[in-house]
Amino acid sequence: MKHTTSSAATDEGADPARRIGSVRGGEPGPLILCIASLHGNEPAGTVALKRVLDELSGSGLPMRGDLVGLRGNLPALEAGTRFIDEDLNRIWQRERVATVLESLRPGGGAREGAGLPMVGSAELAEQRDLLAAIQEESRRARGPIYVLDLHTTSSDSAPFTTLGDTLQNRELALLLPVPMVLGLEEQIDGAMHQYFDRLGWRSIGIEGGQHTAASSIEAHEDAVWILLEAIGLIEAGSRSGPEDRRARLARRAEGLPRVLDVRYRHVVSEDDDFRMRSGFRNFDRVRAGDEIGADRNGAVRTERAGRVFLPLYQRQGDDGFFIVRRRAPAWLTVSRILRGVGADRVAVWLPGIHPHPDREDAVLVGRWARNRYVIGLLHLLGFRARNESGGGVMVRRVEEPG
């Protein structure tokens, strides 16, 4: 392989503040696009990417393809807050993105009647500039595109990955020796990964640990180096190869299940005055009925047993906590086989399940059939529940790339 060439943050057409840097390989290959600090109180990913890019550009390692680092929410990063006006990781719905992309075209502008909330928000401007940078990098790509979205948590936490549950995203997440959490896309609408899934790009979120912990920076560094080798940008056994990094990252998640699935979300608002009980670590076990926090109405207790996930220890955010449960690794194998043979077509034959009247990519589950066994079976077939619709629950097929 030919040696790498580094690219400064002042590349033509790029925003110097948004661009952390890039390294362009001497030969064509995949593009790994890394986005850090989509939430402004999560600086660890930005620091980690700067370190990786500096080391890679100064090492002279042969490389195929390109590595690019972008910052997400610049004003929130400067202020040290999760967001300024609205969560930048909740505004990537199809219609909103289409409107923003329209404004990026020559002579384009916001479409009348598009219904964009908070038109003057700081995050809308950040999304527009970030989309422009993403489009620019995709035009330069010399191979398939991978997106790594680097995050941290408000509680102490082992590293883990999140993803839109496509088969190719699973394959990418399983390259890292940390827990993979499925089902967030069923609970949260408008996350950035949904945009990349619609494009058919491989993308995962990598959660490094607690916001201010030095170990979170190291976890992000380790994850990026591991994936540089696994995806094929650098050769196995290179000087900055991931062998010892893999062991270090695996130790941080030792004892945790390989695959977990989100089973419950506790939504909060500012009016609730929700306060999480101190001391919870991400993935701590809880029993049904355990007191986990308090709000203006008194104690908040868990509705089911499992592991507490993303407990809220920060001022901003509407997710008080989640509950996750272990998924057997064999479940992934069965799911992959069923999706591969198109078993989703038989979903409407199951009791209590009917075609959606307006959407070909969805079915309706009647209320009487809504239980964890039916929903779990639909998950195997490649469906995810979205919302109440027509007296039942709408479940939508996962968008697998063609």
Side-chain angles (χ1 to χ4, degrees):
M1 278 191 284
K2 296 179 181 178
H3 290 275
T4 61
T5 59
S6 63
S7 178
T10 55
D11 282 351
E12 183 179 356
D15 180 350
R18 186 162 316 278
R19 191 177 180 85
I20 300 170
S22 66
V23 179
R24 190 168 179 84
E27 297 180 12
L31 164 64
I32 298 184
L33 178 61
C34 301
I35 300 173
S37 303
L38 201 63
H39 295 130
N41 61 340
E42 301 178 17
T46 292
V47 177
L49 286 174
K50 185 69 166 59
R51 291 180 180 179
V52 172
L53 287 160
D54 286 348
E55 182 176 348
L56 186 59
S57 62
S59 68
L61 283 174
M63 191 176 91
R64 294 189 181 97
D66 309 288
L67 175 65
V68 175
L70 299 175
R71 295 177 179 88
N73 195 331
L74 298 181
L77 185 61
E78 183 177 357
T81 60
R82 182 175 174 88
F83 56 83
I84 302 299
D85 297 315
E86 56 181 334
D87 194 325
L88 184 53
N89 202 26
R90 299 292 187 273
I91 60 174
W92 296 80
Q93 295 86 354
R94 187 186 301 269
E95 180 63 21
R96 286 197 69 162
V97 172
T99 301
V100 175
L101 290 176
E102 179 72 19
S103 73
L104 291 173
R105 297 190 180 97
R111 296 195 315 242
E112 184 177 353
L116 273 178
M118 300 187 70
V119 173
S121 77
E123 277 68 33
L124 183 61
E126 290 300 288
Q127 183 184 41
R128 186 182 189 278
D129 291 348
L130 185 56
L131 277 167
I134 290 168
Q135 285 188 323
E136 179 182 343
E137 296 304 333
S138 68
R139 287 192 291 266
R140 295 179 179 178
R142 300 179 291 167
I145 299 174
Y146 297 77
V147 181
L148 310 181
D149 182 18
L150 306 187
H151 286 272
T152 50
T153 62
S154 63
S155 67
D156 186 22
S157 178
F160 61 95
T161 60
T162 61
L163 59 148
D165 190 17
T166 65
L167 296 180
Q168 67 175 18
N169 287 346
R170 288 185 189 177
E171 292 175 359
L172 180 58
L174 289 171
L175 294 174
L176 296 175
V178 297
M180 177 175 68
V181 179
L182 302 173
L184 267 180
E185 79 276 19
E186 192 170 5
Q187 304 287 341
I188 295 174
D189 186 39
M192 185 176 64
H193 74 78
Q194 296 170 4
Y195 169 64
F196 300 122
D197 289 346
R198 293 194 294 268
L199 293 177
W201 299 356
R202 296 167 176 84
S203 69
I204 58 173
I206 303 174
E207 300 274 357
Q210 200 274 337
H211 292 328
T212 61
S215 59
S216 300
I217 300 172
E218 292 179 351
H220 281 317
E221 285 186 85
D222 292 343
V224 173
W225 280 113
I226 291 168
L227 292 173
L228 282 172
E229 181 178 279
I231 294 172
L233 272 75
I234 61 175
E235 293 179 347
S238 58
R239 183 171 64 86
S240 293
E243 184 174 355
D244 58 334
R245 295 180 183 275
R246 175 175 291 277
R248 181 168 66 173
L249 191 61
R251 283 195 299 271
R252 298 190 193 280
E254 192 171 3
L256 291 175
R258 189 70 175 92
V259 185
L260 299 111
D261 197 26
V262 175
R263 302 295 181 88
Y264 174 77
R265 177 193 182 201
H266 185 78
V267 182
V268 300
S269 68
E270 290 185 10
D271 294 338
D272 291 333
D273 192 26
F274 174 79
R275 303 174 304 283
M276 192 80 193
R277 282 187 60 184
S278 63
F280 279 104
R281 190 174 188 269
N282 203 33
F283 300 122
D284 277 352
R285 293 182 183 273
V286 292
R287 299 166 298 180
D290 281 353
E291 185 176 341
I292 199 167
D295 60 21
R296 64 179 181 175
N297 296 315
V300 173
R301 301 182 182 277
T302 55
E303 294 190 1
R304 62 190 70 192
R307 294 174 183 266
V308 64
F309 181 60
L310 299 180
L312 183 67
Y313 291 114
Q314 60 192 13
R315 184 176 60 85
Q316 294 174 307
D318 58 5
D319 303 315
F321 61 90
F322 299 83
I323 299 295
V324 297
R325 296 284 297 274
R326 175 184 177 273
R327 280 284 189 191
W331 185 91
L332 296 182
T333 302
V334 173
S335 175
R336 185 181 69 248
I337 293 171
L338 290 175
R339 292 190 191 187
V341 299
D344 61 292
R345 294 189 296 268
V346 308
V348 293
W349 300 351
L350 300 173
I353 300 178
H354 309 282
H356 194 283
D358 302 317
R359 298 185 57 152
E360 295 183 357
D361 66 340
V363 297
L364 289 177
V365 182
R367 290 188 184 278
W368 69 267
R370 183 182 180 182
N371 59 61
R372 65 189 181 95
Y373 301 105
V374 172
I375 297 298
L377 178 57
L378 289 170
H379 285 175
L380 276 174
L381 298 177
F383 289 87
R384 283 288 172 183
R386 297 301 295 178
N387 53 269
E388 301 287 332
S389 177
V393 177
M394 182 182 78
V395 292
R396 180 182 56 82
R397 289 181 181 86
V398 172
E399 297 182 39
E400 296 284 355

